[in-house]
Amino acid sequence: MLTISVHSQHRLYKTLEHLKPSVNIILCFFIHFRCKSNMVRSLKNPKKAKRKNKSSKKGDGSSSSNSVPSMPAKVWQPGVDALEEGEELQCDPSAYNSLHAFHIGWPCLSFDVVRDSLGLVRTEFPHTVYCVTGTQAHNAPNSIGIFKISNISGKRRELVPTKRSNADTDMDSDSSDSDDDDDDVENDGPKAPVFQVRKVLHEGCVNRIRAMTQKPHICASWGDNGHVQIWDVSSHLNAMAESETNVSKDAATIINQTPLVKFTGHKDEGYAIDWSPLVPGRLVSGDCKNCIHLWEPASDTTWNVGDKPFVGHTASVEDLQWSPTEPFVFASSSVDKTIAIWDTRTGKSPATSIKAHETDVNVISWNRLASCMLASGSDDGTFSIRDLRMLKEGDSVVAHFQYHKHPITSIEWSPHEASTLAVSSSDNQLTIWDLSLERDEEEEAEFKAKTQEEVHAPTDLPPQLLFVHQGQKDLKELHWHTQIPGMIISTAADGFNILMPSNIESNLPADAAAA
């Protein structure tokens, strides 16, 4: 499931050894989907089992709920294990510090987290988040959704589970214990998150949307009509900041608002767009006709867009990422299987271009904490990590993963841990990886001793895999929250999830934590 050469593996750990100590995580504790204990593999016919329970009750007075033998929860391997008759998957809430689901009506292909003024590093529950998104409605008006979710509750879990008796190892007991824990989180306020949304009319479906880092009330949207538009959503953000009223998604009306800019110079629709993290207002947008346009701010509300596009790809430009350290440098990925690096000062052709994957390169992410590292995800389900300092040597790949079986739809480095990234795929999995990890048999044995139970960890799982999140259908995009360490928000065909896995820890510097 993991392809990585010995030479590349050595280079990977050598590159990342200064970022984080190498430790190992027992994966079976953190993969949160398990077979429900009263529907184990031996339970072929639930109806027959129910009849047996009734007869047992008549004979000895025992409860029917105790007649079905309890079985230990098992690790579910997506794409490997198959459900048999009478089995189902159940989410283990103890794997999360926080987990919430919501939707705004129509599916949303893209969204972005909006930076706020509530604190640079927030670690205490409850949390509040702001986001912008865009709908994919058919035969109905589309809109940009600006939403706020407050009172996001949760509870910090112990990495090593508490000792349990042999009679208390089934999934039902685990779930009820977790539910009991959750009841103690916040007793002085509402337990349900408060959801607010405001909608702005948008021409066509929203392929992608991004909020500017420096001015988060400014966002850019890519429409399926081939137009790129820039919006000022400050009035909506201010209105929600002053209110704590729970607003129904169905009750929210769609507001007509004129965009600041509408660019119609692209020859086709597109998906690639990115704001510069270094120069406020600088933007690049790429379309399906392999053209990239550079936007330069002329004022707070106007932009100059170059008539002559950047051309170097031979097929659709799928994603764009600005360098976190060089204000004139950006990277692009394409259906032509390549990644290109561009310098806007040296013309309209790429400074360098490399074949990155065997199929379309769908997404890329430039590490903002270790600027030499670039991650890319492909249509064949693989994703790779490159050390850009090695481009001249010809082989810049330091890791290549083949865990996912369907196209990679989103990839993003953690804003708080240089060696950690999250990946989503069309196989309905969101996975979290720490590239600094190596398998440690001694630590595994120590973990087993602490839990006093046998840990059946699949031997073919990569040691770098920290967490597998499931439950969403047709995952499209994910983002880390830059101000809430460990929080990830994801969107799929059936709505959004906010998740904070219990084993994702950030070693924040003391000054950052104090902020």
Side-chain angles (χ1 to χ4, degrees):
M1 302 179 83
L2 168 65
T3 299
I4 180 169
S5 67
V6 176
H7 176 60
S8 295
Q9 190 173 21
H10 173 72
R11 288 196 304 178
L12 171 63
Y13 295 131
K14 186 176 181 181
T15 301
L16 293 172
E17 62 184 356
H18 69 286
L19 302 178
K20 188 175 181 180
S22 293
V23 295
N24 185 61
I25 300 296
I26 303 298
L27 296 170
C28 65
F29 175 61
F30 302 116
I31 295 178
H32 78 279
F33 274 82
R34 302 176 181 177
C35 293
K36 193 173 182 179
S37 60
N38 64 342
M39 293 186 181
V40 293
R41 297 184 189 278
S42 60
L43 187 56
K44 295 291 184 179
N45 192 329
K47 293 183 178 179
K48 289 182 179 180
K50 188 175 181 179
R51 286 196 294 270
K52 290 180 180 179
N53 293 341
K54 289 182 178 180
S55 62
S56 175
K57 184 176 181 180
K58 292 178 180 178
D60 56 11
S62 62
S63 171
S64 61
S65 61
N66 295 325
S67 300
V68 179
S70 297
M71 298 292 289
K74 299 179 181 179
V75 176
W76 171 256
Q77 298 183 78
V80 177
D81 296 332
L83 287 177
E84 297 185 15
E85 183 181 357
E87 291 183 323
E88 67 179 36
L89 296 178
Q90 183 176 1
C91 174
D92 180 4
S94 68
Y96 299 89
N97 290 335
S98 183
L99 176 62
H100 299 276
F102 63 97
H103 63 90
I104 69 168
W106 290 99
C108 298
L109 182 68
S110 179
F111 76 101
D112 203 5
V113 177
V114 175
R115 292 182 64 89
D116 56 53
S117 58
L118 300 177
L120 293 178
V121 180
R122 309 200 292 270
T123 58
E124 299 299 325
F125 292 105
H127 289 302
T128 297
V129 300
Y130 292 85
C131 293
V132 289
T133 188
T135 63
Q136 289 274 317
H138 296 284
N139 301 320
N142 278 282
S143 62
I144 290 176
I146 306 99
F147 62 85
K148 171 189 176 184
I149 301 182
S150 55
N151 197 45
I152 300 173
S153 61
K155 181 176 182 180
R156 199 168 302 282
R157 308 283 183 178
E158 294 294 331
L159 288 180
V160 178
T162 55
K163 184 179 8 178
R164 295 176 299 180
S165 65
N166 292 334
D168 190 31
T169 58
D170 60 284
M171 190 65 205
D172 285 343
S173 298
D174 193 19
S175 296
S176 62
D177 289 345
S178 300
D179 293 339
D180 292 340
D181 290 341
D182 290 337
D183 289 341
D184 298 330
V185 176
E186 291 288 343
N187 293 321
D188 57 350
K191 295 181 180 179
V194 178
F195 179 75
Q196 301 178 64
V197 62
R198 293 170 71 93
K199 299 178 181 180
V200 174
L201 185 67
H202 188 275
E203 296 180 12
C205 297
V206 178
N207 290 346
R208 190 145 310 168
I209 190 167
R210 291 291 181 265
M212 190 192 305
T213 303
Q214 302 88 345
K215 300 177 181 179
H217 61 282
I218 303 295
C219 62
S221 65
W222 239 127
D224 67 353
N225 57 4
H227 300 164
V228 178
Q229 301 178 85
I230 297 182
W231 306 82
D232 183 346
V233 298
S234 56
S235 62
H236 309 293
L237 293 171
N238 292 337
M240 290 187 293
E242 297 172 358
S243 172
E244 291 297 333
T245 304
N246 202 334
V247 179
S248 169
K249 61 181 178 301
D250 299 320
T253 59
I254 298 180
I255 303 167
N256 266 309
Q257 178 176 328
T258 303
L260 297 176
V261 177
K262 179 193 290 187
F263 178 63
T264 60
H266 280 287
K267 298 178 181 179
D268 197 359
E269 68 172 315
Y271 297 85
I273 196 167
D274 193 40
W275 292 102
S276 168
L278 302 176
V279 182
R282 181 170 288 172
L283 179 75
V284 280
S285 56
D287 60 38
C288 295
K289 293 292 186 181
N290 63 282
C291 293
I292 301 171
H293 285 273
L294 173 65
W295 302 51
E296 291 286 5
S299 68
D300 289 340
T301 58
T302 60
W303 278 260
N304 294 325
V305 187
D307 293 332
K308 185 179 180 181
F310 291 78
V311 178
H313 290 293
T314 59
S316 173
V317 179
E318 296 295 282
D319 204 4
L320 290 161
Q321 282 275 284
W322 283 100
S323 165
T325 57
E326 300 291 335
F328 300 100
V329 176
F330 66 89
S332 61
S333 66
S334 171
V335 170
D336 65 11
K337 309 174 187 178
T338 69
I339 292 175
I341 307 295
W342 310 73
D343 189 329
T344 61
R345 299 166 296 183
T346 60
K348 303 293 185 178
S349 299
T352 186
S353 181
I354 57 172
K355 182 180 178 182
H357 290 271
E358 296 300 321
T359 57
D360 307 2
V361 187
N362 295 333
V363 287
I364 53 176
S365 179
W366 206 319
N367 195 324
R368 297 194 177 186
L369 299 181
S371 60
C372 61
M373 308 299 279
L374 184 73
S376 59
S378 177
D379 219 41
D380 61 7
T382 65
F383 66 96
S384 299
I385 314 299
R386 281 178 168 77
D387 187 336
L388 299 179
R389 298 171 297 182
M390 301 178 182
L391 283 177
K392 293 183 178 180
E393 301 176 11
D395 182 15
S396 59
V397 177
V398 293
H400 181 70
F401 295 87
Q402 292 182 318
Y403 172 80
H404 290 283
K405 305 303 181 185
H406 295 280
I408 304 299
T409 58
S410 187
I411 190 167
E412 188 170 286
W413 291 99
S414 166
H416 300 104
E417 289 290 343
S419 61
T420 302
L421 77 164
V423 180
S424 69
S425 169
S426 296
D427 62 9
N428 300 328
Q429 295 183 70
L430 187 159
T431 54
I432 303 175
W433 305 75
D434 188 338
L435 304 183
S436 69
L437 300 184
E438 297 181 78
R439 189 170 297 282
D440 188 328
E441 294 182 359
E442 292 183 1
E443 193 166 88
E444 289 183 10
E446 182 181 350
F447 181 88
K448 294 177 182 179
K450 286 182 178 180
T451 59
Q452 294 188 351
E453 61 183 55
E454 186 176 359
V455 179
H456 299 285
T459 58
D460 56 348
L461 286 179
Q464 294 83 13
L465 180 59
L466 278 183
F467 197 89
V468 176
H469 170 73
Q470 292 186 96
Q472 292 179 276
K473 296 180 180 179
D474 198 13
L475 274 159
K476 292 299 184 183
E477 196 169 277
L478 66 86
H479 293 295
W480 298 85
H481 199 298
T482 58
Q483 297 169 271
I484 305 177
M487 176 180 284
I488 293 176
I489 306 175
S490 58
T491 184
D494 55 355
F496 291 84
N497 276 187
I498 297 177
L499 56 141
M500 298 183 71
S502 61
N503 65 322
I504 305 301
E505 293 186 320
S506 295
N507 299 319
L508 296 172
D511 55 348

